[in-house]
Amino acid sequence: GQQLNQSPQSMFIQEGEDVSMNCTSSSIFNTWLWYKQEPGEGPVLLIALYKAGELTSNGRLTAQFGITRKDSFLNISASIPSDVGIYFCAGQLLTGTASKLTFGTGTRLQVTL
Amino acid sequence: DAGVTQSPTHLIKTRGQHVTLRCSPISGHKSVSWYQQVLGQGPQFIFQYYEKEERGRGNFPDRFSARQFPNYSSELNVNALLLGDSALYLCASSFTGGRRDGYTFGSGTRLTVV
């Protein structure tokens, strides 16, 4: 099935560093979402973006909905050990009464002290 | 309030067998979606249900089926299991599945086919 292109695939950073990851698609989406998944758990929603160009923050997290509606990025500032996990972007497409999420390939984040 | 609950949390099945996975959405949520997450990949859309009707179906074979009950809980059924069906199966609930509803995922059912 289709997966969005997400980069980088993995990151190893030191505590306190800033992180940036992005997601691109060949298709247009109505909504962009960013999720974090930890081992043994389902994805947890971090940020939702609803219109092209929108820039939204949630604490140390900032995300933007690309102008073309085909891309999005997520920044994490001043990383801490609990930021460890896999980050997924997801595009939501509404077709008639149907709604589905298409996920990216994921960015695995490791934070060292 | 309880989140999205899925059962069982883990199970092991043999090739060719049938499996039923269950999901209870957040109270008040009427839409349930199912996703398959193979190790190392992002989740893939299988089905969406709203008010007991199928609203969307992903690119999965007919061995996969689902239904939603009057209390909005849902079952995912997989027949004639293959080794490749081994994955984490996630259920997500939302109010209607609409644009600004947001999706809340359960912790998933880890299915291993041997």
Side-chain angles (χ1 to χ4, degrees):
Chain A
Q2 180 194 11
Q3 292 217 298
L4 307 180
N5 298 313
Q6 195 171 338
S7 64
Q9 194 171 26
S10 62
M11 303 181 74
F12 291 82
I13 62 169
Q14 287 194 320
E15 184 178 7
E17 289 185 357
D18 296 344
V19 172
S20 183
M21 58 191 79
N22 64 64
C23 195
T24 60
S25 168
S26 57
S27 306
I28 290 174
F29 290 107
N30 307 109
T31 303
W32 280 93
L33 307 164
W34 285 91
Y35 285 88
K36 178 187 178 185
Q37 188 174 26
E38 298 185 41
E41 300 293 329
V44 174
L45 182 64
L46 300 173
I47 288 183
L49 301 154
Y50 299 109
K51 60 181 182 179
E54 179 181 354
L55 184 71
T56 297
S57 293
N58 178 9
R60 295 180 295 106
L61 278 59
T62 302
Q64 185 160 30
F65 191 145
I67 292 291
T68 64
R69 297 170 63 192
K70 292 182 179 182
D71 63 312
S72 178
F73 73 74
L74 174 71
N75 288 338
I76 305 173
S77 62
S79 59
I80 58 178
S82 62
D83 290 334
V84 167
I86 303 177
Y87 291 79
F88 289 100
C89 61
Q92 182 185 26
L93 186 64
L94 298 167
T95 309
T97 58
S99 169
K100 75 173 222 182
L101 300 182
T102 301
F103 281 81
T105 48
T107 295
R108 182 180 297 272
L109 179 63
Q110 293 278 19
V111 179
T112 58
L113 299 175
Chain B
D1 282 344
V4 179
T5 56
Q6 292 187 242
S7 63
T9 54
H10 298 81
L11 76 165
I12 299 174
K13 290 285 190 176
T14 304
R15 278 178 297 174
Q17 284 188 316
H18 161 91
V19 69
T20 298
L21 311 180
R22 296 178 175 82
C23 172
S24 292
I26 291 172
S27 178
H29 285 193
K30 299 181 179 181
S31 178
V32 169
S33 299
W34 288 94
Y35 287 79
Q36 180 196 63
Q37 186 175 23
V38 174
L39 197 62
Q41 297 184 16
Q44 295 275 345
F45 173 73
I46 310 175
F47 287 109
Q48 184 206 4
Y49 276 78
Y50 174 67
E51 291 280 16
K52 297 175 291 179
E53 293 194 0
E54 181 183 305
R55 271 190 165 182
R57 184 186 187 107
N59 188 24
F60 280 80
D62 291 343
R63 298 184 296 107
F64 288 76
S65 63
R67 55 180 175 168
Q68 186 177 33
F69 299 99
N71 67 353
Y72 304 113
S73 67
S74 177
E75 284 183 354
L76 175 69
N77 295 286
V78 187
N79 291 324
L81 285 166
L82 303 174
L83 296 179
D85 294 331
S86 296
L88 180 67
Y89 288 85
L90 295 163
C91 172
S93 83
S94 65
F95 283 108
T96 64
R99 189 169 179 220
R100 288 180 180 258
D101 280 353
Y103 287 76
T104 302
F105 283 84
S107 296
T109 294
R110 172 72 62 187
L111 171 65
T112 301
V113 182
V114 297

